[in-house]
Each structure stands twice: as C-alpha cells, then as structure tokens.
Amino acid sequence: MGNVSLNGEWKIDWKNWNQTEDSNHSEFTIVPGHWTNSLSEKYPTGFAKLSLKILIPENTKTLYLQNGITRNAFEILVGDESIYKSGIIGESFSTETPHLNVQTVAIPETKDREIKLSLKISCFHYHICGVATPYSLGNHAGINKSFLEATSRDIFVLTSLLTLAFFHFVLYIFWRDEKTHILFASVCFLAAARLLSIGETRFIYNYLPLGVYEIMVRVNGISFVLLYLSFVLYVREIYNDEKYKLIYRVNFFVASLLFLALPLDLLTFSKFLAFHLVFSLFAIFGLLYPIIHGVILKKPGARLFLFSVIATMSLFSLDILTEFAKKGTAYLAQYGFLVFGLSQALFIADRMIENFKNKERLKQEKESAEAKVDFKTTFLSTMSHEIRTPMNGVLGMAQLLQQTNLSEEQKEYLNLIQFSGDNLLLLINDILDLSKLESGQFELHLEPVPLQKFMNDCINLFKSQADPNKLKIELEFLNPPPAYLKTDQRRLAQILTNLLSNAVKFTEKGAVTVIVETIPLNGNSVRLKVSVKDTGIGIPEDRIINLFQPFSQVHSHLTEKTIGTGLGLAITKKLIEEMGGSITVQSVYGRGSNFSFQFASQFQSEAIVTDEEQEKPEPIPKITQGSLLAEKYPLKILVADDDPISQKVSSLFLKKLGYSNLQTDNGEKTLDMVRSESPDLLFMDVQMPDMDGITVTKCIRQSKTITKQPVIIALTANVLEEEKQRCLSAGMDDFMTKPLLMRDLDFMIRKWAKKDLVPSNK
C-alpha cells in the first residue's frame, strides 16, 4: 500500500548482540531517538542490539528497507542474515570504525509472514547514540521514490544556494563598494557546503572512505563557525551602527569558542559541539534586535530580512532538537537555508533598487551642483575681467611711474603701491581658483628670493599701515639668513601677508613680531621656520579646530574686525602644504597668538639664473633698455583692445620698449588692419564689441586673403584654465593675462622674436 515508517518501540538488548529469545524482562527503546530503557533512562556510549518483529500479509512482494541516520556504525540483519553494514561495529572505541550512510536494501523473502528485523549498533565516537531519523519499509517503487525525493530536495537546495552564491559573487566583482554581495555569497556557499554532510540523505558519505568520520565531525564544526561568522558579518554590514557593536562582538566571541575545543578528543568535542549549537542559537537571537530596529525605522527590505532570519532560526532549532534526539523529524536546516537565501536575494534586490534610486537622485543633485559651479565659474570669470581691467591701469601706471625721476620717499611709497597691487592680484587669483585650491593643484614657480630684503618689504608694508605709538611691528632673525632662498616668491608673500594681516587686525596695542630661523639640512638645503607672534585678543581653544576651514571666521562676533572672506588662513595652510611644509598655531585667549610655519628649500649664495629665467627679463628701471629691444627685434605690433586705459598702458609700455604700435578697438577694424598692415605680432583682447577675439582669430586663420599670418597672443582678464585652452584651440599662439606687466610684455616679444615669428597657423 506504500511506505511505512518503523517508528515506535523497539526491543533493545544493551551490550548484547547475540540474545534472540524473547524475555519477560525485555527493555524497549523509542525509535527514532536516543537509546533508552523502558523508564526513559539514557544509555551511555556503548553497543546494543535493537529488534523489531514485522508482520506482513500473504503474497507480499519483495520489500525494501531504507535506513535512517544511525550513529555510529551499524549492521542490519533479517533473522540471522546480514543485509547491510555501515562502518565496522565494535565493542570499544578502538574496534569501531564509524560511518554514516543512508541506503536502500532489499528484504529477503520469508515464508512465515513475519520479518525479524534487528540492528547491531555501536556508538563510541559520538555523545548521542541511537537512531536519529526513521527507518522506512515499502515496495521498491515507493522506497526508491522516497529516497530520490529526499536526494532531489538536497540537490535542489544545494544548487539553489550555489547559484545564489555565484550570482552575488559576480555582483561583487562589478560593485566592489557593496560588500553585502560577497558576504551573502559566503553565507550561501558555506550553507551549501554543509548541506553535503547534514542533509536528509548526507550523500557525501556515500563517496567517502571509511576512517574519515572523525575528520568530518570536526569539519562540520568548523564549517558551522565559518557560516555563523559570515552571517554575523553580513548582518553587521547591513545594520552597521555603533549601538549594535556589543551584539556583534558577543556573536563573534560565541562563534570562536568552538576553536578552543578542536584539540579535544572526538567524544568530548562532539559534546562541546552540541552545546555550542544551543549557545549559538541564543546568541543569534540577539541579532534580532538590530533587524527589528530596522523594521521600526522602516529601512528598505527590513521586514523581508526579519522573516527570513526567523524562518531559518526556527528550522535550525528543530535541527538542534533532532541532534539531541528529542524529535524524530528529518533534518530541515537546508530548507531554512533555502528560505533564507531566496528571501535575502529579494532583500538585496530591494536594496539595489533603492540604491539605484539614490544614485539617480545623487546624479540629479550632482548635475544641479555642477550647474551651480558653472554659474559660479561664469560669475567669477566675469568679475575677474571687471576687476583685473582697472588693475591693469593701476599696476601699469605704477610701473611707468617707476621709470621717472623720484625721490627716495616717493620710491618707497611707490614700491608699497606695487607690492600691495601684486598681493591684491594674487588674492584675486586665489578666489578665482577656489576649486583648484581645494583640490590641491598648485603650480609653484621657484626662483631665487633675497630673503632678508623680501622679509623687510613685507614688514615695511604693514608698518606703514599701523600706528607706531600703539603697535610695534618687528622683524627678528635668529641666525643669519642665506642670501637667496629658492622658493615661490608670490606664494611666500601671500602666506606672510595673510598671517601679518590677521595679527595686525586683532592686535590693538603691543607688538607683532616676525621671527625667522633657518635650520641647516643636508647639502644646500635649509628648513625655513617663520613665526608670527602677536599680543592680540587670541583665539578660544574650542574654535582653533575651525581656524583653517574656508569661509570660517573665529571672531565673527567682532564685526568691525572681521571684514573679509574667511579664506586667508585656509589658503595659507594649503599653500604651505603644497610647498611641502606645515603650519601650527598656539594661542591663549586674551593674551595673543603664535602662528608658525616651516618648509624645506634650497639656498644659494647668489642669484643663479636658469635658462628659463634667462628669457624672462627683470623689471626695466629706465627707458634706455627699451630702445635696445626694438633695435634688436624690429617688429610691427598690433594691439586690439577696446578698453581705453588698457590701450594707453600697452601703448606706453611698447613706447618704452622702442615700438610705435598699431591699435584697434573692435573685431572688424582688427581684421582690416591685419589685411592692410600685415603685423608680426597681434595682441588680441578676447572680449571686444561686435566680434570677440576668438572669432577674430578664427577668421584670420581661415582667411585666404591674408598673405602673412601674424603671431596672435591672447590678452585677457580671464585667468581660468578653460579660457586659456579656448584661446589656444581657436588658433592663438600664446596667452597673457591682465593686468599687463612690462616684464611679461618684454618676455613675450623676445620669446616669439627668437622663434623667427613662426605662428601655429591653425
């Protein structure tokens, strides 16, 4: 009629394999379950014979028996005939060779319509003995079907878990930042590996030789620990919060306890393993806290995650009961793993969808931020042009004024004007290149700097601004400085200007002292250490941490003292770091501050001019050198600029250099002048009415009526790198920024005159 499970009372003969006669004092044990006597008292490890008499009807066809999981070695007999053996039974630990195997065997035909079934079992290698899962009796088709169904279930779960593991491993390869994929793949892979030895049929034992049982018990224990640890890491990756740290640490500790038992003998290890399973189950329940908390916080997929964990833990609990032979259920952990794997796959898919939504939102926010940045860049570019154009007149006329006969006092005032203008220009550059500042992309222009004169110029600039009766500004050299220090003069000036400006701003009376020390290093290198001390209001200790943040002002409550952008110290710190140095600050609120910076540099006893610097002339003190340049390089120069002041400055500069230049103030006139006059050099303003410099350049380069292509040099107040690339791409040969300096004009003329005026002609 079908398969019959041989559950219930079996006769047990403890430590007696040969007794066959029925006895009024026979003991009975319940199968499946731990072997016990009639009073449910457990027998220890040892050996016994379990017997069962099965009555069958007449004309019964051949029956088949499928054994359950029986620890540790056993032999199945029908009457006195042995029909199957698993392992080698013995009466001691040394004579037993344990092995677990689930097989289907045929029952020999009987004539008296009864089957006297008996099991000889020995159990010395495991602390729980007896029959763990039911024995089944039935016809060939029924038993085979039952066995194949159990095997198919194991294979189905195994392949499903391996597929999930492989799929999420591939996902991890493409999304390395999402560690949940590799951790989930590890959980699925380890669960699949354990299924080979803990599934319904434990089919791995069909292919293992005798003598590996002890190894497999320890391997099962290690694989459980690895699975446990992977699961905890997986949960921690999803719910990674400081308040859950203790829960995760407890689980890590509990999981690792099993490693302490590995050196123990197998029987003791198996006992430890069983209790470790129970202890682990209670520890795992602690993981429900972050998971349930995630449900409360309505995190994506939290409910699905909770369901899968509870389902897995429930089936895992049933397996523990089976392990202790309290229930006769089949091993169900594999189904828990499958429920967990499939539900977690849905959970991760939900997270991925949410991540894609977040990335799309971030993409839109990024595009919005980039649009704002583009707007800011355009705005700064426009402001750059508007500010640098009048600066062209200020600095240009200051340079021309230097060529006249001046008293010593006038020269000093003019030097301060020039110095202040240069620093203002540098500050404008830093504001325009704020994004470059934050990314740390600076270009340092190293040149020999007369250190002592340089420091004195910086100090004199601030001395002229401060009241000597209230505030003293002093310079002190702790040791003789080198004649020349190779560094970026403008950047160093900006650093000192920022620090001195802050010191003077927040010091009403007392002194500001600049202390310079040069520390010799190897060879011709020194470490320059500069300290700017003041007796001002100081900085509160809790605000020092924000001191070097952009747009941050620690004394913002002092409105009259804090006019500025808050960029000074942020720029200063970045500049010093780009120079390979560092800056520190010490301050006592109400008593003053001490800003100290240092960096390594090379020194030299005299200004050695490199080949590159040789091309760049020094500022021209008198007009006598100008005529020599025009005589040496007789050129026809055209300046296209719509600003009258810029025209005046460039015209006077060229006159000082000995040139009578041509000038135009718009694009159409520039094209006509190039056709009619054939200039050698064309200084082209980029922004002009009616036709900008870019368009004019393209017309010149593409024109077939212009027989002589001039060298075109961009002349613009826009200093952004994008503007430079735009000019060069349009066909211009070089790039100059306003305000126009005489030394730059001199350098550009020499540079292209030496190249025989061969333009790119793009």
Side-chain angles (χ1 to χ4, degrees):
M1 300 296 294
N3 298 339
V4 177
S5 296
L6 303 180
N7 297 342
E9 294 180 343
W10 289 49
K11 179 184 175 183
I12 181 169
D13 294 309
W14 178 246
K15 291 189 176 181
N16 188 345
W17 281 338
N18 298 318
Q19 185 175 351
T20 58
E21 297 296 328
D22 292 339
S23 172
N24 295 329
H25 302 287
S26 296
E27 293 290 347
F28 295 92
T29 187
I30 302 298
V31 175
H34 194 294
W35 54 24
T36 58
N37 59 21
S38 301
L39 300 176
S40 298
E41 296 172 344
K42 290 183 180 180
Y43 290 115
T45 56
F47 63 95
K49 181 179 180 181
L50 275 63
S51 305
L52 187 69
K53 183 183 291 184
I54 306 168
L55 302 180
I56 59 175
E58 293 182 0
N59 302 320
T60 300
K61 295 181 179 180
T62 302
L63 296 175
Y64 289 82
L65 178 73
Q66 180 179 298
N67 66 285
I69 296 171
T70 308
R71 296 187 179 94
N72 289 109
F74 62 94
E75 181 180 359
I76 304 175
L77 298 95
V78 175
D80 296 327
E81 181 182 353
S82 175
I83 62 172
Y84 182 70
K85 292 181 180 181
S86 177
I88 301 175
I89 58 176
E91 296 183 359
S92 65
F93 182 89
S94 59
T95 58
E96 179 192 62
T97 303
H99 195 68
L100 294 180
N101 207 344
V102 177
Q103 287 292 337
T104 299
V105 291
I107 301 294
E109 293 184 6
T110 60
K111 298 180 180 180
D112 51 2
R113 293 188 297 170
E114 68 177 23
I115 300 173
K116 294 180 180 180
L117 181 67
S118 59
L119 304 175
K120 290 182 178 181
I121 304 174
S122 66
C123 181
F124 293 97
H125 287 75
Y126 206 75
H127 71 289
I128 296 176
C129 301
V131 180
T133 57
Y135 275 60
S136 296
L137 186 68
N139 57 39
H140 184 269
I143 289 294
N144 273 349
K145 180 181 179 183
S146 175
F147 183 76
L148 290 174
E149 285 176 352
T151 305
S152 299
R153 286 193 292 268
D154 282 350
I155 294 174
F156 171 71
V157 177
L158 176 68
T159 54
S160 298
L161 290 173
L162 289 176
T163 301
L164 286 171
F166 177 75
F167 177 70
H168 284 274
F169 177 74
V170 172
L171 288 179
Y172 174 72
I173 293 176
F174 289 98
W175 286 286
R176 291 295 180 90
D177 56 330
E178 188 63 51
K179 292 183 180 179
T180 52
H181 292 303
I182 190 63
L183 293 174
F184 180 62
S186 300
V187 171
C188 292
F189 177 78
L190 290 169
R194 280 180 58 77
L195 185 61
L196 296 173
S197 58
I198 67 166
E200 284 188 75
T201 56
R202 304 197 176 192
F203 50 81
I204 192 173
Y205 286 98
N206 295 335
Y207 307 100
L208 293 177
L210 293 177
V212 298
Y213 178 82
E214 181 173 351
I215 296 174
M216 288 302 301
V217 172
R218 298 183 189 276
V219 168
N220 283 340
I222 294 172
S223 65
F224 170 75
V225 172
L226 296 177
L227 176 61
Y228 185 5
L229 291 173
S230 298
F231 177 69
V232 177
L233 289 171
Y234 173 63
V235 176
R236 189 182 69 172
E237 182 66 24
I238 296 171
Y239 300 102
N240 193 359
D241 198 298
E242 191 69 22
K243 57 178 171 286
Y244 309 139
K245 184 180 290 186
L246 179 61
I247 295 174
Y248 299 136
R249 286 182 176 177
V250 168
N251 278 274
F252 289 143
F253 173 75
V254 171
S256 303
L257 284 177
L258 188 66
F259 290 115
L260 300 176
L262 286 176
L264 302 176
D265 63 87
L266 183 60
L267 190 60
T268 307
F269 176 79
S270 68
K271 292 179 181 179
F272 190 95
L273 177 60
F275 287 102
H276 183 261
L277 289 173
V278 178
F279 198 24
S280 299
L281 180 63
F282 283 108
I284 290 174
F285 272 107
L287 294 175
L288 291 177
Y289 173 69
I291 298 172
I292 294 174
H293 195 232
V295 175
I296 296 173
L297 296 177
K298 297 182 179 180
K299 291 190 174 182
R303 292 183 179 180
L304 191 61
F305 195 98
L306 178 62
F307 162 75
S308 65
V309 172
I310 292 176
T312 305
M313 292 171 67
S314 300
L315 297 175
F316 182 57
S317 302
L318 290 176
D319 267 10
I320 291 179
L321 293 175
T322 303
E323 186 70 22
F324 282 92
K326 293 294 184 182
K327 297 287 183 180
T329 58
Y331 283 78
L332 299 172
Q334 62 266 39
Y335 305 113
F337 292 144
L338 181 59
V339 171
F340 174 80
L342 294 177
S343 58
Q344 288 304 303
L346 294 174
F347 166 74
I348 293 178
D350 188 50
R351 276 172 54 91
M352 290 179 65
I353 292 172
E354 189 66 24
N355 287 340
F356 282 132
K357 290 180 180 178
N358 291 337
K359 287 181 179 179
E360 186 64 28
R361 185 171 63 253
L362 289 174
K363 181 181 178 182
Q364 293 175 357
E365 292 176 356
K366 179 184 177 182
E367 291 174 352
S368 176
E370 288 175 346
K372 293 178 181 178
V373 170
D374 291 340
F375 173 77
K376 182 185 75 172
T377 303
T378 304
F379 171 77
L380 292 177
S381 176
T382 304
M383 290 304 298
S384 165
H385 190 276
E386 297 304 319
I387 294 173
R388 295 167 80 82
T389 297
M391 283 293 295
N392 190 38
V394 173
L395 293 179
M397 291 303 176
Q399 289 183 83
L400 291 171
L401 189 57
Q402 284 180 331
Q403 310 301 317
T404 62
N405 295 321
L406 301 171
S407 66
E408 291 301 319
E409 184 178 5
Q410 289 173 329
K411 287 181 180 179
E412 182 180 357
Y413 294 160
L414 188 58
N415 286 337
L416 292 177
I417 292 174
Q418 188 73 42
F419 193 79
S420 299
D422 289 340
N423 283 327
L424 176 59
L425 189 60
L426 189 59
L427 180 60
I428 294 171
N429 289 340
D430 285 326
I431 294 175
L432 290 171
D433 295 334
L434 184 58
S435 58
K436 181 188 254 188
L437 171 68
E438 292 172 345
S439 64
Q441 297 178 354
F442 280 98
E443 293 182 5
L444 296 175
H445 302 283
L446 303 180
E447 56 184 331
V449 178
L451 186 59
Q452 190 163 359
K453 179 180 181 302
F454 172 81
M455 298 299 297
N456 280 314
D457 287 342
C458 290
I459 295 297
N460 291 335
L461 172 64
F462 286 91
K463 278 185 177 180
S464 64
Q465 299 174 356
D467 186 349
N469 297 322
K470 293 183 179 181
L471 181 64
K472 294 183 179 180
I473 302 178
E474 300 174 338
L475 175 64
E476 180 182 348
F477 289 93
L478 294 184
N479 54 352
Y484 290 92
L485 190 72
K486 196 167 186 180
T487 185
D488 190 317
Q489 180 172 341
R490 291 194 173 190
R491 297 302 186 184
L492 183 57
Q494 186 180 2
I495 293 169
L496 284 170
T497 300
N498 285 336
L499 296 180
L500 281 168
S501 175
N502 284 340
V504 172
K505 185 188 298 183
F506 297 109
T507 307
E508 293 185 355
K509 60 181 180 179
V512 174
T513 306
V514 178
I515 302 173
V516 182
E517 180 183 7
T518 51
I519 304 171
L521 300 176
N522 297 330
N524 63 337
S525 299
V526 294
R527 180 171 295 280
L528 180 68
K529 183 177 181 180
V530 181
S531 298
V532 180
K533 296 182 178 180
D534 64 67
T535 57
I537 62 176
I539 304 167
E541 186 176 355
D542 60 338
R543 297 187 181 182
I544 290 180
I545 191 172
N546 297 322
L547 197 60
F548 296 102
Q549 298 299 320
F551 304 104
S552 175
Q553 296 179 326
V554 297
H555 294 300
S556 56
H557 58 290
L558 303 175
T559 307
E560 71 280 3
K561 290 285 187 180
T562 56
I563 298 174
T565 63
L567 280 173
L569 288 177
I571 294 173
T572 298
K573 182 175 183 293
K574 182 60 68 175
L575 285 171
I576 293 171
E577 290 175 349
E578 288 296 324
M579 295 168 74
S582 61
I583 183 170
T584 58
V585 57
Q586 296 175 339
S587 184
V588 178
Y589 189 53
R591 297 178 60 183
S593 304
N594 179 13
F595 286 82
S596 179
F597 69 91
Q598 56 181 329
F599 63 91
S601 181
Q602 294 182 334
F603 72 90
Q604 53 195 52
S605 57
E606 59 183 8
I608 301 174
V609 182
T610 63
D611 293 340
E612 182 180 347
E613 292 165 343
Q614 209 166 22
E615 290 186 354
K616 188 172 182 178
E618 296 296 323
I620 305 170
K622 296 292 179 182
I623 63 171
T624 53
Q625 283 185 295
S627 58
L628 295 177
L629 183 63
E631 291 175 3
K632 186 175 182 180
Y633 304 111
L635 305 172
K636 185 181 288 187
I637 300 175
L638 171 62
V639 178
D641 199 326
D642 64 312
D643 184 68
I645 297 177
S646 296
Q647 287 182 352
K648 184 70 174 177
V649 170
S650 59
S651 178
L652 291 173
F653 277 0
L654 288 170
K655 185 177 180 181
K656 292 292 184 181
L657 297 174
Y659 296 100
S660 56
N661 67 299
L662 305 169
Q663 290 196 351
T664 60
D665 57 5
N666 62 49
E668 289 293 343
K669 291 181 180 179
T670 302
L671 285 173
D672 293 339
M673 191 73 74
V674 170
R675 290 190 182 96
S676 60
E677 298 294 336
S678 299
D680 300 302
L681 279 176
L682 170 56
F683 290 93
M684 177 82 73
D685 186 20
V686 174
Q687 294 187 12
M688 290 190 299
D690 81 318
M691 191 185 300
D692 60 41
I694 299 292
T695 305
V696 174
T697 300
K698 290 180 179 179
C699 292
I700 293 173
R701 295 307 187 204
Q702 296 171 3
S703 175
K704 296 181 179 179
T705 60
I706 298 176
T707 56
K708 180 182 179 181
Q709 287 285 336
V711 171
I712 303 177
I713 300 170
L715 187 60
T716 176
N718 191 335
V719 297
L720 297 180
E721 183 66 25
E722 294 84 355
E723 181 71 4
K724 179 179 180 180
Q725 294 302 323
R726 196 165 71 97
C727 293
L728 296 179
S729 298
M732 296 186 183
D733 298 286
D734 219 324
F735 186 86
M736 293 182 68
T737 59
K738 295 179 182 179
L740 184 63
L741 303 178
M742 186 177 292
R743 63 172 178 266
D744 294 337
L745 185 62
D746 181 282
F747 168 74
M748 196 61 69
I749 293 174
R750 291 175 185 270
K751 174 182 176 181
W752 286 101
K754 289 179 180 180
K755 294 183 179 182
D756 296 326
L757 295 167
V758 180
S760 61
N761 196 16
K762 296 177 183 177

